[in-house]
């Protein structure tokens, strides 16, 4: 009965949070205490101790650092400089924006697609570039680097694996989504973008990035940093003018140095990324203590609550034996490799309509019994789960997809949305099978 109630409550939390604006983390915290104390007999003190303090530091620290980078213009500067590298041909802007989306995402800007959509989609319309191609390319570009060790997603997966005592390898977790999303980008370009090669140059009025516009909110969102993406104001300045290429000021230089140190420290020396991000943020704030007095408000507190709440509830389900029961039952009933394939499909379908971070937070703990049994390669399976959870963010129901759809300069938005849905369906159908065949099977035999 305990196991059944635990699963039903989990499903209820996910459902309610998906159809209402209530933060899933708040519901998960409440569920953790109710199921933990009333149903499972776990002392409240033990539930409080299960709070993932390390994950709290990771999510809070990274989103604080990149809130500062956005506020002081560092991210806008990076976008300007990258756009200036495009010269001559229309195909170049497609791949430049693919790479720029990946660069921003790898640096921790989890809303990279939302930041670029207001630039990329009008640019596609003015230069006769297929808007669907442009939208999917910047999406897959960002998703290719979504598991950078200094990105929220990468840090989250590392934290979950460490808390479960599993071996971690941030490079391997990053590499699988990177290679597969780049491959998808190549296929998309060969199918939809071949006419861009050797067929006309970019117009001279290609826009440069100016300053961010006010945020665009949505009634409900499970964005990894808990906020809506920022729109970007477009200017008509030529990209080779001095106004379009300002020099870095000392705050932006310090921010870029801090981001590099964060990456080097976490990857090369194993320094805790959450603690490092907070220390770098503190230095940057002390350099300009009055410049951003309300920067703390930009921290993704909704995402912090969501992730920590779900992990706390997962800890309760671990303590009362629910996760072990589910994993053991499924593993004993189905061959481990087939179980892995079913799990990848379940993750992809669920994440297409819900939060990828929440889906990862649920799916990886659910896979623990399968991973701990030793019949499935740990890193390969985790990489397959996280890829399946994020590659479906091309869905028009995801935050990335919403921004692509909102900024697409097309005559029929409904038709464009249907095209996105059809493409997402293809991804859901093929991506889990491909990653299972290429990654899970070879690492498990």
């Amino acid at each position: 009965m305990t196991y059944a109630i635990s699963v039903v409550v989990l499903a209820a939390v996910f459902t309610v949070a998906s159809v209402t604006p209530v933060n899933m983390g708040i519901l998960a915290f409440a569920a953790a205490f109710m199921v933990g104390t009333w149903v499972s007999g776990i002392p409240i003190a033990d539930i409080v101790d299960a709070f993932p303090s390390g994950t709290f530091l990771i999510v809070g620290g990274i989103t604080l650092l990149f809130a500062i980078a956005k506020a002081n213009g560092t991210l806008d500067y990076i976008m300007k400089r990258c756009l200036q590298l495009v010269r001559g041909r229309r195909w170049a802007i497609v791949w430049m924006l693919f790479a720029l989306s990946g660069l921003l995402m790898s640096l921790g800007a989890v809303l990279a697609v939302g930041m670029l959509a207001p630039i990329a989609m009008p640019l596609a319309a003015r230069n006769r570039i297929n808007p669907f191609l442009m939208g999917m390319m910047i999406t897959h570009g960002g998703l290719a680097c979504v598991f950078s060790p200094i990105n929220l997603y990468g840090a989250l997966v590392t934290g979950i694996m460490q808390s479960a005592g599993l071996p971690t390898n941030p490079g391997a977790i990053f590499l699988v989504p990177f290679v597969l999303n780049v491959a998808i980008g190549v296929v998309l370009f060969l199918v939809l973008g071949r006419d861009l090669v050797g067929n006309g140059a970019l117009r001279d009025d290609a826009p440069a990035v100016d300053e961010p516009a006010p945020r665009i909110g949505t009634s409900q969102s499970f964005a990894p940093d808990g906020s809506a993406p920022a729109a970007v104001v477009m200017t008509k300045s030529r990209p080779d003018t001095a106004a379009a290429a300002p020099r870095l000021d000392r705050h932006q230089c310090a921010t870029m140095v801090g981001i590099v140190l964060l990456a080097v420290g976490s990857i090369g020396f194993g320094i805790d990324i959450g603690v490092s991000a907070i220390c770098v943020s503190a230095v940057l704030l002390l350099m300009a203590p009055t410049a951003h007095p309300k920067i703390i408000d930009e921290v993704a507190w909704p995402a912090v609550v969501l992730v920590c709440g779900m992990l706390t509830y997962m800890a309760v389900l671990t303590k009362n034996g629910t996760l072990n029961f589910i994993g053991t039952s499924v593993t004993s009933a189905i061959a481990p490799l087939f179980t892995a394939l079913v799990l990848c499909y379940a993750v992809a379908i669920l994440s297409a309509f819900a939060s990828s971070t929440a889906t990862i937070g649920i799916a990886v703990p659910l896979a623990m019994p399968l991973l701990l049994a030793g019949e499935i390669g740990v890193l390969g399976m985790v990489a397959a789960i996280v890829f399946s959870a994020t590659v479906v963010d091309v869905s028009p129901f995801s935050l990335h997809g919403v921004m692509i759809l909102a900024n697409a300069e097309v005559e029929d938005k409904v038709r464009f949305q249907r095209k996105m849905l059809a493409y997402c369906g293809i991804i859901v159908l093929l991506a889990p099978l491909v990653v299972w065949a290429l990654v899970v099977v070879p690492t498990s035999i």
Side-chain angles (χ1 to χ4, degrees):
M1 180 62 71
T2 298
Y3 303 152
I5 293 175
S6 299
V7 172
V8 169
V9 171
L10 175 61
V13 166
F14 207 88
T15 301
V16 172
S18 298
V19 300
T20 71
V22 180
N23 187 292
M24 187 184 297
I26 295 174
L27 298 177
F29 275 125
F33 287 105
M34 289 188 289
V35 173
T37 56
W38 298 348
V39 178
S40 308
I42 301 173
I44 290 180
D46 290 351
I47 300 174
V48 172
D49 289 341
F51 179 83
S53 55
T55 302
F56 175 87
L57 290 175
I58 289 172
V59 179
I62 288 178
T63 54
L64 173 61
L65 175 59
F66 287 96
I68 295 171
K70 186 178 185 307
N72 66 20
T74 302
L75 296 183
D76 288 338
Y77 175 86
I78 293 173
M79 286 194 290
K80 283 184 179 181
R81 299 299 295 180
C82 288
L83 286 174
Q84 287 178 345
L85 296 177
V86 177
R87 291 292 185 270
R89 299 296 176 183
R90 292 185 298 155
W91 65 267
I93 192 65
V94 175
W95 283 106
M96 174 57 70
L97 287 167
F98 179 96
L100 178 56
S101 182
L103 174 62
L104 293 174
M105 189 73 80
S106 68
L107 292 176
V110 291
L111 296 177
V113 176
M115 294 166 62
L116 290 178
I119 299 173
M121 302 310 288
L123 187 59
R126 279 197 295 275
N127 291 279
R128 295 175 291 107
I129 298 173
N130 186 324
F132 182 78
L133 171 65
M134 179 66 84
M136 295 304 98
M137 287 292 281
I138 64 172
T139 303
H140 283 295
L143 296 177
C145 299
V146 72
F147 290 101
S148 160
I150 63 171
N151 184 289
L152 172 63
Y153 283 90
L156 172 63
V157 173
T158 299
I160 293 175
M161 295 179 69
Q162 289 176 341
S163 65
L166 296 174
T168 60
N169 187 332
I173 300 299
F174 171 83
L175 188 62
V176 170
F178 176 81
V179 171
L180 292 178
N181 276 287
V182 170
I184 293 172
V186 171
V187 172
L188 274 172
F189 188 82
L190 291 176
V191 173
L192 300 176
R194 287 176 298 174
D195 62 313
L196 300 179
V197 179
N199 188 23
L202 282 168
R203 288 173 49 157
D204 289 337
D205 63 346
V209 180
D210 196 6
E211 60 184 17
R215 293 184 177 274
I216 300 174
T218 56
S219 60
Q220 62 171 312
S221 173
F222 297 112
D225 75 346
S227 63
V232 181
V233 175
M234 311 299 297
T235 72
K236 291 293 184 179
S237 300
R238 293 175 181 267
D240 59 349
T241 61
R247 293 186 178 182
L248 285 170
D249 61 30
R250 66 188 188 94
H251 302 296
Q252 294 166 341
C253 286
T255 302
M256 296 187 73
V257 169
I259 292 172
V260 171
L261 291 177
L262 180 68
V264 171
S266 62
I267 299 172
F269 300 96
I271 300 175
D272 185 274
I273 191 169
V275 173
S276 300
I278 290 176
C279 292
V280 171
S281 299
V283 172
L284 294 175
L285 290 174
L286 288 173
M287 289 181 62
T290 61
H292 311 297
K294 295 184 179 180
I295 196 66
I296 196 68
D297 295 338
E298 299 299 318
V299 175
W301 299 118
V304 173
V305 173
L306 185 153
V307 172
C308 292
M310 289 305 302
L311 291 181
T312 301
Y313 188 68
M314 288 297 124
V316 169
L317 265 58
T318 300
K319 288 179 179 293
N320 69 13
T322 300
L323 294 183
N324 183 65
F325 172 77
I326 294 174
T328 303
S329 300
V330 174
T331 304
S332 60
I334 309 175
L337 274 176
F338 187 69
T339 302
L341 178 60
V342 171
L343 183 58
C344 287
Y345 269 107
V347 167
I349 294 170
L350 185 61
S351 187
F353 299 95
S355 163
S356 53
T357 49
T359 302
I360 291 171
I362 293 172
V364 175
L366 280 175
M368 289 303 174
L370 182 65
L371 299 175
L372 295 175
E375 298 184 50
I376 296 293
V378 173
L379 292 176
M381 186 64 213
V382 172
I385 289 174
V386 299
F387 170 73
S388 299
T390 53
V391 72
V392 295
D393 280 349
V394 295
S395 163
F397 300 113
S398 73
L399 188 62
H400 300 317
V402 167
M403 288 303 296
I404 296 298
L405 183 61
N407 289 279
E409 295 191 358
V410 294
E411 294 182 0
D412 191 343
K413 288 282 184 85
V414 174
R415 183 179 179 183
F416 192 81
Q417 183 183 38
R418 288 174 180 167
K419 185 179 291 188
M420 292 179 67
L421 276 172
Y423 178 69
C424 182
I426 295 173
I427 293 294
V428 169
L429 181 65
L430 297 179
L433 179 62
V434 170
V435 74
W436 175 80
L438 295 181
V439 179
V440 178
V441 174
T443 58
S444 303
I445 58 177

